[in-house]
Structure formats: structure tokens, C-alpha cells
Amino acid sequence: MTFPRRTLLTTLLAGALAGAGHLPALAQRPGPPASRQGIPLDSIRLSDPFILADARTHTYYMTGTGGLLWQSKDLKKWDGPTSVAQPDPTSWMGPRPQIWAAEIHLYKGKYYYFATFTNSALQVANPPGQPLERRASHVLVSDQPAGPYRPFGDATYLPADKLTLDGTFWVDKNGKPYLVYCHEWLQNQNGTVESIALRPDLRGTQGPAQVLFRASDSPWSRENPRTGPARPNKVTDGPWVFRTGTGRLGMLWTSWIYDVYTQGVAYSASGTLAGPWRQEPRPITPPNYGHGMLFRTFEGKDLLVLHSHQDVQGNYHRVPRLFEVDVSGDKLVVGKPY
């Protein structure tokens, strides 16, 4: 979750909006809003939505930015939110970290919580400018989809001096697990999507990271600087890896077209994470949607969940939205709203 042409403070304030319209999740943020039942999906304010269709409980679990969780039996009415992440307060994350872009993945009988944690009290050197708050993708674990999710592995999954976010999970055809994430554009000035191998038990990473592509590789993502001509945008956001029905490897990711939040897709020419990754020439959804992921309903329908994006007097208003998709062919085709 990243935003162009804004100060870091404004970025953090906007990015942390989650739940039923509550305040940003800063270091001294209040507790979660009171849990309710039967909330319509379009009444939930949530950035970076992720939905797990859990066959064990026949329940949909939705999380995202803010570290909260909603549950539903039908995708229409939701109960929640509840707080499910319990990181170690003595770790680098501190006692009350910001939590962005959480995901829940079932792997070998356990549920893993991939999320971005930010500790505003720690700073990371930033050669292009002022120091930045420490932020990194990390993994927690639970025996249950509703948590609680707690630390179980290495103290860090990625270098302490590298700002990373929007970590997601991928297992290749050989059964090798990977962490796929973004290297923050605020630090490198041309955001990347990268991958690094995970240990078989997911307790840490192993080997070097690999850059898969850069924001500037996209033909559609653009920004308009205050001086000079338009140029490629710097933002990479929300990677999600998938396979089509023909076995083609694809990746959803998000950037901006000037001031419009935009969902794109790329495909790997080799069929592996190593790529090379070829960007589709045009976005795949209407304007002002992004940070999408795919899941299959209990009835066998493939859906895309992402959030709509609206700037209301300088504040981002974001709501989860569902679209029908067809992944049976060689490319992802986005259909009508669900």
C-alpha cells in the first residue's frame, strides 16, 4: 500500500484507514471498533481486502489493512471486526505497530498471516532524503483461521534497512514456497516487485532476493511531475500471483495513472517467478480500483476482490468490491461486479 506525490506522514495516515470508518492505525491508535453482525460488504471501509474461502469451516474470512478480521457465510453479510494479530511487543515491531495489507494462507495444516508491519519509533536510513519509519513484510501463524496469529519464526524475514510491504505467498510447481513483496518506492525511487525463497516450514527466508519487475516497466502507470513531461510512475503495490486455466503464470499489481488508482496485470514468459515479466498494455478494471486478489467461492465461482478508491476532501475512502472473473483461458478476464 503506497501513494504517490504525498508526504510520508500523509501517506501513512491515508494508508492506515481500515474497518468501519475508524481512525488511522498509528502508534497510539485506539482499539478496534465494536464487533457487529450482518454488515453489508459495501458498508465496510477497508483498504487492501483479502478473502480466504476456508473449506474447513465453510466460512469466508476477510482481512486487510488495519489488522482486523470479518467473517461471512455468503459474502454479502459480514460479522466483525475482531483483532487477530498479536506480534511480539519486544520485537522490532514495537508494542503497537501499524498493520497493512494482511493476508491469510492455509499451508500444511496451519494458517499463516502475511502482513506489513511499521514501527514509527524506528528509523531506516534513506539516501535520497529524510530517514523513513521502519516497515517490513513478516509472517505470523495460527492453528485457526480466526487467529490469534503470533510470531513463530525468525525475528526478521527481510533486511532491517530495506523498506518492504504487501508481502504475499506463492508455492511453485515444485512445492517451493516464496515470499513476494514490494520494495518501497519511497526508498528506491522506482518501486519493485521482488521474490525471496521461504524455508520449507515458513519460519524464515533463504537465499538472495530477486527483482521481478519495476514500476517503470509498465506502459500504463504514469505520473505528472510539477515540472517537466509526464513520466513512469514510481509505485508498485499489492502483488498477487496466480495461474490461468492454461497454466500461464500471472501477477496482479497496482500503481497509478496520474491521480487514478489503477489495477494492472503482468505475465511471466517462462512460467516461473523468475520471469521475465511482460506487462499488459492496459489496466484490467475500471478506474479507481486496486490492490486485488483472486479467490474461488464455495460454489466454484472465481472472484476478484479489491478496493474502490475515492478521495474525499483529502481523505481516502476505500471499500471492498467484488468482480466476477474468468481465468479458464490464457489470460485473466474481469467481468461484471458481483
Side-chain angles (χ1 to χ4, degrees):
M1 169 191 284
T2 49
F3 305 93
R5 296 176 299 280
R6 293 179 181 267
T7 65
L8 178 59
L9 178 59
T10 303
T11 297
L12 295 175
L13 288 171
L17 288 174
H22 63 282
L23 295 174
L26 300 179
Q28 299 300 319
R29 70 185 188 278
S35 181
R36 294 183 292 144
Q37 293 185 333
I39 310 169
L41 183 64
D42 61 6
S43 295
I44 298 173
R45 288 188 61 182
L46 178 66
S47 296
D48 315 325
F50 177 97
I51 293 177
L52 169 70
D54 184 57
R56 290 179 171 183
T57 58
H58 204 77
T59 300
Y60 299 103
Y61 297 88
M62 181 172 67
T63 186
T65 285
L68 303 176
L69 186 76
W70 288 258
Q71 301 182 34
S72 175
K73 294 293 186 179
D74 60 7
L75 294 174
K76 297 177 181 178
K77 300 294 185 180
W78 294 82
D79 299 340
T82 56
S83 181
V84 296
Q86 296 182 2
D88 180 1
T90 66
S91 71
W92 68 266
M93 299 177 195
R96 294 183 66 79
Q98 301 164 41
I99 301 175
W100 290 0
E103 300 185 359
I104 297 172
H105 295 269
L106 176 61
Y107 181 69
K108 295 185 177 180
K110 290 185 178 294
Y111 296 86
Y112 293 89
Y113 189 88
F114 286 67
T116 304
F117 297 89
T118 298
N119 185 346
S120 301
L122 298 181
Q123 292 187 327
V124 174
N126 181 31
Q130 297 296 319
L132 299 170
E133 296 173 333
R134 185 170 175 184
R135 179 181 311 127
S137 298
H138 200 80
V139 185
L140 309 180
V141 70
S142 177
D143 292 327
Q144 305 295 330
Y149 290 90
R150 299 186 176 98
F152 72 108
D154 290 347
T156 59
Y157 278 67
L158 295 162
D161 60 352
K162 184 175 182 178
L163 267 67
T164 57
L165 71 161
D166 293 355
T168 189
F169 184 50
W170 178 249
V171 181
D172 70 11
K173 289 183 176 179
N174 297 321
K176 188 173 183 178
Y178 288 87
L179 174 64
V180 179
Y181 60 91
C182 297
H183 184 188
E184 175 66 82
W185 69 274
L186 290 170
Q187 188 176 51
N188 66 15
Q189 300 304 300
N190 187 5
T192 58
V193 174
E194 304 183 4
S195 68
I196 191 168
L198 288 161
R199 286 157 41 186
D201 58 7
L202 308 192
R203 289 182 175 272
T205 56
Q206 55 186 358
Q210 180 179 10
V211 174
L212 305 184
F213 59 83
R214 293 174 170 81
S216 59
D217 294 341
S218 166
W220 53 263
S221 62
R222 307 293 292 169
E223 69 176 33
N224 192 9
R226 296 183 184 276
T227 59
R231 62 194 181 195
N233 204 284
K234 298 186 285 287
V235 174
T236 50
D237 185 82
W240 174 262
V241 188
F242 66 95
R243 285 201 185 274
T244 68
T246 62
R248 194 178 188 193
L249 189 66
M251 187 187 302
L252 295 168
W253 72 287
T254 301
S255 191
W256 298 74
I257 301 178
Y258 305 120
D259 293 321
V260 179
Y261 196 60
T262 303
Q263 179 71 69
V265 68
Y267 294 95
S268 169
S270 68
T272 70
L273 279 181
W277 288 87
R278 309 300 189 197
Q279 303 294 329
E280 288 292 282
R282 291 177 293 276
I284 60 170
T285 63
N288 284 313
Y289 289 89
H291 203 112
M293 60 83 61
L294 304 173
F295 71 100
R296 181 165 290 174
T297 70
F298 298 127
E299 293 74 36
K301 182 180 289 292
D302 291 314
L303 296 180
L304 166 69
V305 62
L306 70 177
H307 64 247
S308 59
H309 173 89
Q310 185 179 10
D311 191 332
V312 181
Q313 298 181 338
N315 293 317
Y316 288 152
H317 182 90
R318 292 180 158 186
V319 177
R321 306 292 185 182
L322 295 170
F323 283 83
E324 296 181 0
V325 293
D326 183 357
V327 290
S328 62
D330 200 44
K331 287 187 177 183
L332 169 67
V333 178
V334 179
K336 63 183 180 181
Y338 179 74

